[in-house]
Amino acid sequence: MTFEKYSNNWFTIALDTEKQVFIANDKTNPVFEATGITIESAVHNLKTIMAIQGNLQDA
């Protein structure tokens, strides 16, 4: 699996080139992970997961 990483204030993005998906992780709690075919969709999915869990703080 090949990964390229991008980092923001509260999340990181990795690209899985074998599966052709972006993976978004919360920096403070890496257990929260979401995928998407675009960076935007991966981050949106991560926000959704975190909101459901009650851990989204004004991101």
Side-chain angles (χ1 to χ4, degrees):
M1 202 178 310
T2 304
F3 288 102
E4 294 293 325
K5 288 214 169 204
Y6 168 78
S7 191
N8 194 332
N9 289 335
W10 67 276
F11 64 88
T12 61
I13 295 288
L15 172 62
D16 183 337
T17 57
E18 287 183 10
K19 295 180 182 177
Q20 293 296 305
V21 294
F22 290 97
I23 304 164
N25 288 90
D26 178 20
K27 281 185 180 178
T28 59
N29 192 353
V31 173
F32 293 112
E33 177 178 288
T35 61
I37 58 172
T38 65
I39 291 173
E40 292 83 4
S41 66
V43 171
H44 173 77
N45 294 339
L46 179 62
K47 285 181 179 179
T48 301
I49 291 169
M50 292 175 66
I52 290 169
Q53 295 295 321
N55 291 330
L56 186 60
Q57 298 176 357
D58 208 294

